[in-house]
């Protein structure tokens, strides 16, 4: 029965070929540092799942943002876990994505034929920082607010367009409810869309080109 | 980089079945692979459960909160109740939903036969939640949505409602009517 | 990479793969183990550390120390190496270079070598970048301890520093010599440091200035003095007194019973300077107010150069020789000048001459002389100006610099007339003609507090006033007035306004009730309370003034006891008559009503002022700054007040017209001496002294 269903599915989707391409391929012998990429991917999934769960209660409006985060943290069953995972997952993801990049540099894995994989990786690194920056404001507590004040003021020194850039980013001269909603929109819709797209390309290329082998001395 | 044919992995010549069959012909290889696959399944399952189970409680959290107020809510003076026909009385109640507290106004029909015993009936039709009103000619509560009629005691006279109008526990204290369970 | 190299690589890679392992399950197994460990770690962090939630964001709270998330800290720290205009390098140039480097890496490193040993440049740059980031992050974490972390309890100055400065500056700040730190803190810098004057009182900024400039001073204070003293209490101390006390050791009377060493034995001269700088911060305006204004008045006038001014201050009177004008002026001119300084009113032609010859040192202040002959002699021969302390021996270099800088700047201030006009045009509408405040037209139910009180002006320095006027107070409905913020006034005009407001300090337009901290004990009787509080506006004898005249029989008959009680208890909105019920007990108010009623029966005389009553406090407030430590007449006790004085009694009981005290206070003294030198006291204060002397100068 299972085989029959599998055959039917394979006929309509060709999944066996895809499955074999993804899972049954052979990989050069590699060491533990090669798990950093998949670990980053794993924390990304944690962030997606916990992030979605947080949006069930979070309201991006100054008074309610704080009240809802407080409700999630202090009153909802396992709210502390969901928010805690998301909070620490963010730090973990930044750390892992940087270590992953360092590993790639050390093994020269950005070289032919993986140049484009590398460029998507750099974009993903920047995206991760953007996630961290926009997400930091959302709880709307003192730490969030003032870190964003400092963060956006730093950007103000950009020559010529600095002031305009900051005003556009904040939706006004000062941090306000408008800033909160646009940071929320970026953190929940814009950045994840880009992230999924880039991660998709990145993983496709990793599978297509294979993972780098550990270079031997003199190679 | 050249065209696709130069690519390192061509799907047709990709690392497929043959090499794996080589290993699966070896008994040791099979048991090792099963062990690894099993371990992956256990760890994956643990992680999924570690997030999934708390997530269920997390999502269900607010539904477990006490929705029905257990305090007595004051409706008004007994003298304002007309013994001839049901009297619509208004009161406000604070409802808490998560971190938000909202004030809601609600209405109940209060009837009395003798001026000492009171019955409080919800003015919400049990069919689809429209508001019912007292119609003297029919001496019953009329719901305009599907022409349902409830009797004075709340039982269904005609129409689609599945059950009588909801009633509330009442008490009288210092000449004031209180109800419970709104 | 050449085509052959690429092909060779692909071939080699195929070989590697053949020798490799299948992705499922071998690789995924490894990945799962790592994922599982990460998951456990995250759950543990969520459980044991949690995600904190601080207080709700408060945009008006500038005391919060902002910190970015840890992974941005290295960037935050990097900015400290690029002050001012260089900031753009740290913020834009370096990050852009880093990102471009990363993107272009495959084309920068084009060799076919893959092993790290074969790519020293790329590996070197990467390692350097990572080490630098880690180093900067660690440095940022170490330099800026979280607020309230390491301060010793009770060290309020250090706590101020931690709360306000440490977040950005770390544990110490290097200040270039000659920096006006007070101005920097109160006005902020264009390098991104905010202005603190809205959040910190002048006292607090001074405390910070002392703390930052003289960390060793703080240590010495904390280890040697803090057992008995708090730093706040000494910040307003008299610099002369402070130095005396420190030099005398246990010879200083209050230290007699204590084992206090002479500081020259225990502290190096550098430490002595640091201690003084810590206690009396180099803040020119405060130094001027504390040390100079009792003789020189509040309005600063000096026409010479900064170097000359510095010399005057450092050398003080003892060394400051007036030139012998006999050599340069003719006898006639000297005679005119002598007449002018003896009696300015009689010799109007002296004014011009004085302005030419004397004003560069004396400014508008006419020196005190005993007689015409003395004046002629002094002018012709010159001589030392002994009244002025030798500040060079009292103040530290930093303090002297600050004082000189302040005086030089303040001397160039505009005159008050234009400030007054500007005030009437722009401010009086909301703040009242005398700065007394009133209903806020911008916000209903809001009262604008008085801005002319001593308390208000004392706690806000010129920088602060300037900032408030230019930037407005949007939270309270005050629009910005500075042209830089879209208002109508130029910077110069704002300065004129500030100068005008500052002049209120010397001549209060309205004597407002003292702040609540000066409030009488709950045990004080109604009469005492009246003398202390009510008399300021309603007159010692109920004769009225700013406030209602209680002695007026028609007022007495128009108001019931209940009316009076309510008026005292509830006050009148938007006037200086505050709701005293918040300050006084109802019993005291009842006694006050009884006391106010006594004015009715006694008409306008409820008894003359006494030394113990109103007089001693006037002496203490207006005279003791000079009379007391500098010799001559002293008013610090009743006996001294009546018996001391140069060349005869100062007070002749019963004869105010011939008492020198009264003469100097109403400018009828034959030698033209006026007291206080900076300007006469308000008429009603003078009247109390006259009444007191006329009544036979009773002690109580």
């Amino acid at each position: 029965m299972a085989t029959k269903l599998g055959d039917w599915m394979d006929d309509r989707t060709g999944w066996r070929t895809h499955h074999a391409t993804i899972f049954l391929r052979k990989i050069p012998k590699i060491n533990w540092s090669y798990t950093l990429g998949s670990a980053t991917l794993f924390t990304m999934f944690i962030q997606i799942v916990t992030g979605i769960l947080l949006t069930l209660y979070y309201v991006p409006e100054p008074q309610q943002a704080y009240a809802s985060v407080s409700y999630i943290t202090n009153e909802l069953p396992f709210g502390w876990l969901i928010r805690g995972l998301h909070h620490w997952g963010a730090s973990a993801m930044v750390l892992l994505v940087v270590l992953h990049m360092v590993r790639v540099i050390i093994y020269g894995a950005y070289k032919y034929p993986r140049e484009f994989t590398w460029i998507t990786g750099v974009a993903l690194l920047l995206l991760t920082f953007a996630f961290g920056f926009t997400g930091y404001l959302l709880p709307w507590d003192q730490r969030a607010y003032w870190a964003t004040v400092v963060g956006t003021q730093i950007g103000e020194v950009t020559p010529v367009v600095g002031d305009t850039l900051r005003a556009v980013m904040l939706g006004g001269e000062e941090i306000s409810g408008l800033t909160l909603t646009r940071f929320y929109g970026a953190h929940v819709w814009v950045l994840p869309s880009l992230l999924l797209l880039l991660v998709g390309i990145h993983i496709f290329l990793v599978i297509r080109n294979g993972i780098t082998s550990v270079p031997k001395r003199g190679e | 980089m050249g065209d696709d044919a130069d690519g390192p992995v061509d799907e047709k010549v990709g690392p497929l079945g043959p090499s794996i069959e080589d290993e699966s012909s070896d008994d040791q290889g099979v048991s090792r692979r099963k062990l690894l696959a099993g371990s992956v399944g256990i760890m994956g399952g643990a992680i999924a459960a570690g997030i999934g189970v708390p997530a269920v409680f997390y999502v269900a959290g607010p539904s477990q909160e006490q929705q029905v107020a257990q305090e007595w809510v004051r409706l008004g003076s007994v003298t304002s109740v007309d013994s001839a026909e049901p009297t619509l009385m208004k009161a406000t109640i604070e409802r808490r939903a998560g971190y938000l507290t909202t004030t809601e106004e609600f209405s109940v029909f209060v009837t009395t036969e003798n001026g000492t015993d009171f019955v409080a009936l919800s003015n919400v039709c049990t069919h689809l939640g429209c508001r019912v009103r007292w119609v003297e000619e029919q001496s019953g509560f009329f719901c305009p949505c599907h022409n349902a009629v409830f009797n004075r005691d709340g039982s269904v006279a005609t129409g689609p409602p599945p059950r009588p109008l909801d009633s509330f526990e009442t008490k009288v204290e210092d000449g004031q009517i209180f109800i419970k369970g709104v | 990479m050449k085509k052959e190299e690429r092909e060779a690589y692909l071939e080699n890679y195929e070989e590697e793969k053949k020798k490799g392992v299948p992705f499922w399950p071998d690789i995924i197994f490894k990945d799962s183990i790592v994922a599982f460990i990460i998951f456990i770690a995250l759950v543990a962090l969520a459980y044991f550390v949690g995600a904190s939630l601080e207080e709700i964001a408060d945009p008006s709270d500038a005391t919060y120390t902002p910190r970015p998330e840890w992974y941005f800290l290295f960037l935050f720290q990097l900015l400290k190496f690029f002050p001012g205009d260089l900031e753009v390098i740290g913020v834009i140039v370096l990050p852009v270079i880093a990102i471009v480097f990363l993107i272009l890496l495959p084309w920068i490193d084009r060799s076919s070598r893959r092993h790290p040993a074969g790519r020293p440049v790329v590996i070197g740059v990467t390692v350097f970048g990572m080490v630098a980031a880690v180093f900067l992050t660690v440095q940022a974490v170490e330099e800026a301890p979280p607020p309230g972390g390491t301060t010793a309890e009770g060290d309020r100055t250090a706590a101020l520093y931690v709360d306000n400065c440490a977040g950005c500056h770390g544990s110490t700040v290097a200040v270039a010599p000659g920096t006006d730190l007070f101005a920097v803190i109160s006005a902020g810098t264009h390098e991104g440091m905010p202005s603190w004057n809205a959040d910190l009182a002048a006292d607090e900024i001074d405390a910070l200035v002392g703390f930052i400039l003289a960390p060793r001073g703080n240590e010495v204070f904390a280890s040697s003095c803090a057992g008995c003293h708090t730093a706040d209490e000494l910040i307003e101390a008299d610099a002369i007194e402070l130095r005396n006390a420190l030099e005398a050791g246990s010879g200083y009377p209050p230290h007699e019973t204590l084992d206090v060493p002479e500081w020259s034995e225990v502290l190096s001269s550098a430490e002595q300077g640091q201690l003084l700088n810590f206690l009396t911060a180099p803040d020119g305006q405060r130094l001027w107010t504390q040390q100079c204004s009792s003789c020189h008045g509040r309005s600063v006038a000096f026409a010479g150069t900064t170097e000359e001014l510095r010399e005057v201050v450092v050398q003080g009177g003892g060394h400051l020789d007036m030139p012998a004008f006999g050599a340069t002026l003719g006898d006639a001119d000297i005679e005119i000048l002598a007449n002018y300084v003896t009696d300015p009113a009689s010799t109007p032609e002296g004014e011009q001459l004085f302005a030419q010859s004397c004003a560069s040192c004396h400014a508008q202040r006419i020196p005190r002389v005993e007689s015409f002959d003395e004046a002629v002699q002094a002018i012709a021969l010159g001589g030392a100006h002994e009244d002025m302390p030798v500040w060079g021996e009292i103040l530290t270099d930093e303090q002297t610099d600050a004082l000189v800088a302040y005086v030089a700047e303040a001397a160039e201030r505009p005159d008050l007339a234009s400030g007054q006009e500007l005030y009437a045009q722009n401010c009086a509408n909301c703040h009242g003609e005398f700065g007394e405040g009133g209903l806020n037209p911008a916000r209903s139910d809001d009262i604008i507090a008085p801005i002319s009180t001593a308390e208000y002006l004392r706690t806000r320095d010129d920088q602060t006033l300037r900032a408030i006027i230019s930037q407005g107070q949007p939270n309270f409905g005050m629009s910005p007035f500075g042209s830089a913020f879209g208002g109508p006034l130029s910077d110069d005009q704002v300065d004129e306004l500030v100068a005008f407001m500052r002049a209120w300090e010397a001549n209060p337009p309205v004597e407002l009730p003292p702040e609540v901290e000066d409030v009488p004990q709950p045990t004080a009787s109604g009469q005492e309370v009246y003398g202390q509080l009510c008399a300021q506006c309603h007159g010692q004898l109920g004769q009225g003034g700013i406030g209602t005249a209680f002695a007026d029989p028609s007022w007495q008959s128009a108001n019931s006891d209940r009316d009076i009680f309510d008026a005292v208890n509830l006050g009148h909105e938007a006037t200086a008559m505050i709701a005293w019920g918040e300050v006084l007990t109802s019993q005291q108010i009842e006694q006050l009503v009884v006391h106010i009623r006594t004015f009715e029966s006694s008409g306008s005389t409820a008894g003359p002022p006494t030394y113990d009553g109103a007089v001693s406090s006037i002496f203490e407030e207006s005279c003791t700054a000079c009379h007391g430590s500098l010799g001559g007449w002293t008013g610090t006790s009743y006996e001294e007040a009546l018996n001391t004085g140069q060349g005869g009694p100062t007070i002749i009981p019963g004869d105010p017209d011939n008492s020198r005290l009264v003469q100097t206070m109403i400018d009828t003294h034959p030698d033209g001496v006026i007291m206080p030198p900076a300007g006469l006291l308000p008429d009603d204060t003078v009247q109390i002294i006259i009444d007191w002397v006329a009544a036979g100068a009773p002690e109580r």
Side-chain angles (χ1 to χ4, degrees):
Chain A
M1 182 66 205
T3 334
K4 263 189 149 179
L5 183 65
D7 288 347
W8 182 84
M9 284 286 286
D10 189 44
D11 186 48
R12 302 303 192 274
T13 64
W15 72 272
R16 284 204 174 108
T17 320
H18 301 306
H19 177 259
T21 313
I22 295 171
F23 291 103
L24 303 181
R25 67 200 156 106
K26 270 201 149 188
I27 301 272
K29 282 220 163 65
I30 51 178
N31 60 33
W32 282 95
S33 72
Y34 282 72
T35 59
L36 286 165
S38 73
T40 313
L41 188 67
F42 171 70
T43 49
M44 185 194 86
F45 279 121
I46 296 258
Q47 293 306 87
I48 291 175
V49 171
T50 53
I52 289 172
L53 288 171
L54 289 172
T55 60
L56 298 187
Y57 296 100
Y58 178 78
V59 181
E61 185 272 337
Q63 291 299 323
Q64 295 197 25
Y66 183 79
S68 58
V69 172
S70 168
Y71 175 68
I72 292 169
T73 316
N74 302 320
E75 291 178 47
L76 275 176
F78 293 105
W80 60 268
L81 177 68
I82 305 298
R83 181 161 172 252
L85 285 178
H86 199 73
H87 176 88
W88 290 105
S91 289
M93 192 163 160
V94 170
L95 191 68
L96 289 167
V97 83
V98 169
L99 291 176
H100 176 50
M101 182 191 76
V102 171
R103 197 270 296 163
V104 167
I105 294 179
I106 287 176
Y107 288 161
Y110 49 80
K111 295 188 175 215
Y112 173 84
R114 301 183 184 83
E115 294 95 329
F116 194 73
T117 323
W118 165 260
I119 287 182
T120 57
V122 173
L124 283 166
L125 172 80
L126 298 179
L127 264 186
T128 308
F129 280 116
F131 266 108
F133 187 68
T134 51
Y136 207 56
L137 177 67
L138 301 186
W140 202 257
D141 63 350
Q142 285 278 71
R143 181 207 299 259
Y145 180 88
W146 289 103
T148 309
V149 168
V150 175
T152 54
Q153 244 152 23
I154 287 175
E156 209 172 31
V157 301
T158 314
V160 190
V161 294
D163 289 351
T164 324
L165 208 64
R166 178 171 190 262
V168 170
M169 192 153 78
L170 297 186
E173 290 299 317
E174 296 297 329
I175 294 179
S176 64
L178 291 180
T179 318
L180 184 59
T181 46
R182 62 180 57 209
F183 272 44
Y184 176 77
H187 189 79
V188 172
W189 293 111
V190 182
L191 297 176
S193 311
L194 290 172
L195 182 82
L196 289 178
L197 181 70
L198 284 167
V199 165
I201 297 173
H202 196 76
I203 290 174
F204 169 76
L205 290 173
V206 168
I207 293 169
R208 181 183 182 278
N209 295 336
I211 203 155
T212 330
S213 52
V214 183
K216 296 180 198 68
R217 190 161 270 279
E219 200 179 339
Chain B
M1 182 172 167
D3 60 4
D4 259 4
D6 286 346
V9 180
D10 190 315
E11 273 188 17
K12 292 175 199 111
V13 295
L16 288 180
S19 56
I20 289 165
E21 273 162 23
D22 284 351
E23 266 192 55
S24 56
S25 63
D26 179 351
D27 278 353
Q28 222 189 340
V30 173
S31 61
R32 179 173 168 278
R33 288 187 55 219
K34 280 197 170 152
L35 180 69
L36 292 186
S39 313
V40 169
I42 290 169
M43 287 186 288
I47 292 170
I51 292 195
V53 173
V56 169
F57 284 97
Y58 170 85
V59 172
S63 66
Q64 303 305 305
E65 282 176 21
Q66 191 56 263
Q67 293 286 340
V68 177
Q70 282 308 310
E71 322 74 86
W72 289 96
V73 180
R74 194 177 70 88
L75 282 181
S77 166
V78 288
T79 55
S80 56
V81 179
D82 190 337
S83 62
E85 63 178 67
T87 311
L88 190 65
M89 299 183 91
K90 285 186 176 160
T92 54
I93 184 170
E94 282 200 343
R95 275 193 203 280
R96 208 177 100 91
Y99 55 93
L100 293 172
T101 307
T102 49
T103 310
E104 255 175 43
E105 193 168 81
F106 70 97
S107 309
V108 292
F109 282 106
V110 181
T111 61
T112 182
E113 301 298 334
N114 50 17
T116 51
D117 296 323
F118 295 90
V119 175
L121 292 173
S122 160
N123 71 334
V124 179
C125 177
T126 53
H127 178 221
L128 291 173
C130 299
R131 298 292 185 269
V132 299
R133 62 168 185 266
W134 176 256
V135 178
E136 190 58 53
E137 302 84 67
Q138 294 176 315
S139 108
F141 298 100
F142 174 72
C143 175
C145 292
H146 298 90
N147 296 335
V149 177
F150 297 89
N151 295 318
R152 186 183 160 103
D153 63 358
S155 58
V156 181
T158 60
R163 57 190 162 87
L165 288 172
D166 292 335
S167 64
F168 303 104
E169 199 181 333
T170 60
K171 73 167 180 182
V172 176
E173 213 168 73
D174 299 334
Q176 301 285 325
I177 305 174
F178 291 82
I179 63 170
K180 189 172 169 180
V182 180
Chain C
M1 222 185 277
K2 298 192 192 74
K3 194 165 192 293
E4 310 84 74
E5 285 174 338
R6 292 207 297 256
E7 278 165 5
Y9 173 76
L10 290 182
E11 239 168 71
N12 186 27
Y13 186 70
E14 284 304 315
E15 292 288 309
E16 291 280 343
K17 275 211 299 202
K18 288 210 180 90
K19 288 186 277 175
V21 292
F23 184 60
W24 169 262
D26 296 54
I27 303 294
I28 290 192
F29 173 70
K30 274 185 166 179
D31 290 340
S32 305
I33 289 178
V34 173
F36 190 69
I37 292 171
I38 289 172
F39 184 71
I40 298 296
L42 291 180
V43 170
L45 282 168
Y47 184 79
F48 292 109
V49 187
S52 66
L53 186 64
E54 299 188 350
E55 294 292 296
I56 189 165
D58 176 7
S60 65
D61 175 10
T63 62
Y64 188 84
T65 309
R67 304 267 288 158
E69 183 62 308
W70 67 267
Y71 41 82
F72 290 119
L73 271 182
F74 73 98
L75 204 56
F76 194 61
Q77 184 73 7
L78 187 64
L79 299 187
K80 292 183 189 167
F81 297 96
F82 298 101
D85 295 343
L86 295 179
E87 199 180 13
V88 71
I89 296 179
V91 175
I92 307 295
V93 178
L94 285 182
V96 166
I97 288 178
I99 292 169
V100 170
F101 171 79
L102 284 179
I103 291 175
L104 296 182
L105 186 55
W107 292 275
I108 293 170
D109 177 22
R110 299 171 69 92
S111 78
S112 65
R113 304 185 75 92
R114 294 187 187 238
H115 193 273
R119 298 153 45 234
V121 177
V122 171
I123 299 298
V125 169
T126 307
V127 169
F128 173 78
M130 295 312 295
V131 169
V134 171
F135 172 77
L136 287 172
T137 306
V138 169
Q139 201 181 31
V141 170
E142 276 184 356
E143 269 191 20
T150 54
T151 6
E153 200 166 328
D155 190 345
R156 281 201 50 236
T157 319
L160 266 180
Y161 181 84
V162 169
D163 288 348
N164 297 293
C165 319
C168 297
H169 288 290
S171 52
T172 55
V173 190
V175 181
T179 308
D180 186 352
L181 193 54
F182 186 93
V184 171
I185 297 176
S186 67
T189 66
H190 54 270
E191 288 156 24
M193 173 170 161
S195 149
W196 290 94
N197 56 26
D199 303 300
L200 298 176
D203 281 3
E204 292 175 315
I205 298 182
D206 270 345
L208 279 177
V209 170
F211 182 81
I212 293 169
L213 288 182
R216 180 74 189 120
N218 182 45
E219 284 167 29
V220 170
F221 180 84
S223 62
S224 308
C225 319
C228 302
H229 300 283
T230 65
D232 312 7
E233 108 195 40
L234 294 177
I235 242 169
E236 286 196 82
D238 180 349
I240 303 178
E241 190 78 5
L242 202 56
R243 194 172 266 266
N244 283 345
L246 289 166
E247 276 170 1
S250 59
Y252 182 67
H255 287 168
E256 254 169 16
T257 55
L258 302 169
D259 182 21
V260 177
E262 281 180 39
W263 73 339
S264 56
E265 291 171 10
V266 288
L267 298 179
S268 70
S269 62
E271 286 173 328
Q272 294 174 8
Q274 289 246 319
L275 183 57
L276 286 176
N277 279 344
F278 171 71
L279 291 172
T280 311
D283 166 5
Q285 187 168 355
R286 180 189 294 276
L287 283 167
W288 172 266
T289 315
Q290 278 174 2
Q291 311 297 347
C292 315
S293 63
S294 57
C295 294
H296 291 280
R298 304 269 176 161
S299 50
V300 182
F302 186 81
T305 65
T306 313
E307 288 71 34
E308 286 169 351
L309 177 63
R310 196 185 156 83
E311 203 173 328
V312 169
V313 174
V314 171
Q315 300 198 337
H319 303 227
L320 181 68
D321 281 341
M322 187 167 106
F325 280 98
T328 50
L329 294 177
D331 285 351
D333 282 345
I334 290 181
E335 205 166 301
I336 292 171
L337 270 181
N339 272 322
Y340 178 70
V341 297
T342 327
D343 183 5
S346 70
T347 333
E349 66 271 29
E351 192 176 340
Q352 200 193 345
L353 200 55
F354 184 85
Q356 282 168 5
S357 307
C358 319
S360 70
C361 293
H362 289 282
Q364 272 92 47
R365 186 168 167 272
I366 300 165
R368 187 186 65 180
V369 283
E370 297 291 326
S371 66
F372 175 76
D373 290 340
E374 195 189 326
V376 170
Q377 203 173 5
I379 296 167
L381 302 177
H385 177 34
E386 284 162 0
D387 292 353
M388 183 165 163
V390 184
W391 291 109
E393 292 174 5
I394 295 163
L395 301 178
T396 65
D397 285 351
E398 291 80 6
Q399 290 167 344
T400 311
D401 287 344
L403 180 59
V404 168
Y406 168 75
V407 174
E409 189 230 308
E412 289 175 10
R413 292 240 185 88
D415 67 324
L416 301 181
S418 53
Q420 184 164 21
E421 201 174 310
L422 286 169
Y423 182 87
Q425 286 164 1
N426 296 289
C427 320
N429 218 4
C430 295
H431 289 287
E433 192 186 347
F434 305 108
E436 73 273 21
L439 290 170
N440 189 339
R443 297 199 322 175
S444 54
D445 300 337
D446 187 38
I447 306 283
I448 299 177
I451 55 169
S452 53
T453 56
E455 176 72 16
Y456 182 92
L457 293 166
R458 190 175 64 75
T459 51
R460 284 159 186 82
D461 72 326
D462 291 355
Q463 298 271 18
T464 309
L465 294 178
R466 219 169 279 148
I468 293 175
I469 296 170
S470 328
Q471 300 167 15
Q473 302 235 289
N475 292 345
F476 302 109
M478 174 171 168
S479 58
F481 281 86
S483 55
F485 299 88
L489 303 180
S490 68
D491 284 356
D492 286 349
Q493 286 176 312
V494 173
D495 283 349
E496 286 168 4
L497 265 179
V498 171
F500 172 68
M501 287 178 67
R502 187 56 65 198
W504 278 336
E505 233 172 349
N507 295 301
V510 188
E511 286 277 349
L512 291 162
E515 295 298 318
V516 176
E517 63 206 54
D518 297 330
V519 146
Q521 298 293 314
T523 52
S525 71
Q527 188 166 359
E528 284 164 344
V529 172
Y530 186 89
Q532 204 175 333
L533 299 176
C534 316
Q536 294 188 46
C537 292
H538 297 281
Q540 204 47 261
L541 311 172
Q543 73 269 32
I546 297 164
T548 315
F550 297 141
D552 180 354
S554 61
W555 182 85
Q556 290 277 358
S557 56
N559 288 280
S560 68
D561 285 0
R562 185 75 227 168
D563 291 339
I564 302 174
F565 184 93
D566 286 347
V568 176
N569 190 30
L570 305 175
H572 298 300
E573 263 190 11
T575 67
M577 182 77 190
I578 63 169
W580 291 103
E582 290 169 15
V583 176
L584 303 172
T585 64
S586 53
Q587 207 181 354
Q588 283 174 318
I589 300 180
E590 278 163 21
Q591 289 173 0
L592 268 180
V593 175
V594 173
H595 184 70
I596 290 169
R597 283 299 186 202
T598 62
F599 297 131
E600 183 178 31
S601 52
S602 62
S604 61
T605 48
T610 61
Y611 179 82
D612 285 352
V615 175
S616 62
S617 59
I618 294 173
F619 285 166
E620 192 179 326
E621 201 172 298
S622 310
C623 316
T624 310
C626 297
H627 294 283
S629 55
L630 296 179
W633 175 81
T634 302
T636 43
S637 74
Y638 181 68
E639 284 72 29
E640 283 176 308
L642 289 191
N643 300 324
T644 57
Q646 295 159 321
T650 306
I651 295 165
I652 306 168
D655 187 359
D657 290 346
N658 289 314
S659 296
R660 283 169 57 102
L661 175 72
V662 174
Q663 288 171 340
T664 60
M665 288 179 77
I666 58 174
D667 198 12
T668 58
H669 191 268
D671 296 342
V673 180
I674 62 162
M675 283 294 159
L680 296 178
L681 295 175
D683 286 348
D684 50 349
T685 311
V686 173
Q687 192 59 46
I688 293 172
I689 301 294
I690 295 173
D691 291 347
W692 175 62
V693 176
E699 182 173 6
R700 56 176 67 89

